[in-house]
Amino acid sequence: MAQDSLADGGRTDTHFGYRTVPLDDKQRMVDEVFHSVARRYDLMNDLMSLGLHRAWKDLLVSRLRPPRGARPFHLLDVAGGTGDVSFRTVEAGGPTTRATVADINGGMLAVGRERAASLGLADRVEFVEANAEELPFPDKSFDAATVAFGIRNVPRMDKALSEMRRVLKPGGTCFVLEFSRVDVPVLDAIYDAYSFKLIPGMGKLVTGDADSYQYLVESIRKFPPPEVFAEMMRTAGLRRVAWTPLTGGVVALHSGVRI
Ligand code: SAM
């Protein structure tokens, strides 16, 4: 059976939404999704989440606690796309808070660079084209690492988690914000109907691409439950692993520390 990145040993298949695909094909398929939606990605995020992604990201930033004083703080925002988490972090922190957005998709990064320029943050947020599975950064170089709504798109999630741990300074925290399991009766049925009946149609209207949004809702359902993902974080060498369900479990904020 295809496993979405529990361990690498001998796997040749994985999930692309509800389809089983060769592991080596998934990244190309994911890249097509984000190339297709890049220009409308931020608008669709607001529509799809009814604006809630802003509150979830703000909570992430409040847990990051970027220093407001002169202490330097450098965030690595993996699969950071158009830069949302990075912008919020540098805006919350002091003048020496910086962020590096690492994303595999040049289309998403291009939108991010334009946003950085229009927000006047181009000198504090840099954009690097990089695969989360092989981060082009030295060991122990970042104060914190985040990945928001990105890890489920990475074919080898175990590698991405190990890489995030590797580049963290000892004592630094890795935060993963990701869709999770709704555990509130009635809300789960509403959420299912909303996801499968409305979101692909909304995606078609706004981006002209229903299939990409069908993939996005399916990939959410294939993401492991929080206790399984927490074990993956431990296997990657992170410690003090914990998670907080948000909005009835629609999303969870996971964290783990590099000791
Ligand atoms: N973090 C941003 C946010 O919260 O708005 C963007 C999230 S978007 C749903 C997922 C991102 O994951 C896309 O920008 C995509 O290009 C990126 N991605 C997918 N596979 C990746 C990989 N192997 N390495 C780095 N980024 C990847």
Side-chain angles (χ1 to χ4, degrees):
M1 196 179 102
Q3 296 248 317
D4 226 15
S5 286
L6 265 183
D8 219 358
R11 261 180 321 131
T12 52
D13 289 338
T14 189
H15 296 291
F16 178 76
Y18 286 168
R19 288 161 59 192
T20 299
V21 298
L23 185 61
D24 291 335
D25 289 359
K26 174 164 172 166
Q27 190 68 63
R28 177 185 47 77
M29 298 165 93
V30 166
D31 292 349
E32 281 167 13
V33 166
F34 289 102
H35 272 300
S36 161
V37 304
R39 288 274 144 204
R40 291 291 176 108
Y41 173 78
D42 292 298
L43 171 62
M44 256 315 272
N45 256 0
D46 272 332
L47 293 174
M48 240 176 17
S49 74
L50 310 171
L52 280 169
H53 76 107
R54 294 166 181 259
W56 297 325
K57 287 171 179 165
D58 283 344
L59 183 83
L60 166 60
V61 173
S62 74
R63 293 277 304 277
L64 271 172
R65 291 195 291 135
R68 294 208 55 86
R71 178 161 61 89
F73 181 86
H74 194 177
L75 169 71
L76 174 65
D77 184 17
V78 173
T82 60
D84 233 15
V85 168
S86 292
F87 299 144
R88 286 165 199 274
T89 304
V90 299
E91 278 170 342
T96 52
T97 296
R98 293 181 297 137
T100 297
V101 176
D103 198 285
I104 203 164
N105 195 305
M108 295 289 278
L109 292 169
V111 175
R113 286 192 188 96
E114 286 167 19
R115 292 181 75 199
S118 67
L119 291 167
L121 295 175
D123 55 338
R124 292 172 66 196
V125 180
E126 66 165 347
F127 292 82
V128 176
E129 194 165 319
N131 188 340
E133 295 176 5
E134 286 175 76
L135 292 171
F137 307 111
D139 295 356
K140 303 181 184 173
S141 46
F142 293 93
D143 298 289
T146 53
V147 54
F149 307 113
I151 194 96
R152 73 179 190 284
N153 299 292
V154 176
R156 296 167 187 85
M157 291 193 284
D158 46 352
K159 282 196 173 178
L161 289 171
S162 297
E163 279 292 88
M164 289 171 84
R165 179 195 171 275
R166 179 183 66 76
V167 301
L168 271 175
K169 293 178 187 169
T173 304
C174 168
F175 289 98
V176 181
L177 186 62
E178 190 49 271
F179 290 101
S180 191
R181 298 285 155 112
V182 176
D183 56 4
V184 177
V186 183
L187 179 63
D188 53 1
I190 296 170
Y191 180 61
D192 261 7
Y194 179 70
S195 304
F196 287 97
K197 296 205 189 324
L198 286 180
I199 288 183
M202 213 188 267
K204 187 168 174 55
L205 265 178
V206 176
T207 67
D209 179 357
D211 291 348
S212 290
Y213 283 91
Q214 183 70 29
Y215 157 72
L216 288 174
V217 292
E218 289 178 4
S219 66
I220 290 168
R221 296 312 194 281
K222 296 307 279 186
F223 189 69
E227 58 280 4
V228 175
F229 188 72
E231 196 49 39
M232 291 176 68
M233 292 183 77
R234 285 185 205 103
T235 303
L238 293 159
R239 296 294 172 257
R240 287 192 244 141
V241 169
W243 75 89
T244 311
L246 308 173
T247 319
V250 171
V251 161
L253 178 56
H254 296 262
S255 60
V257 177
R258 175 180 185 157
I259 303 291

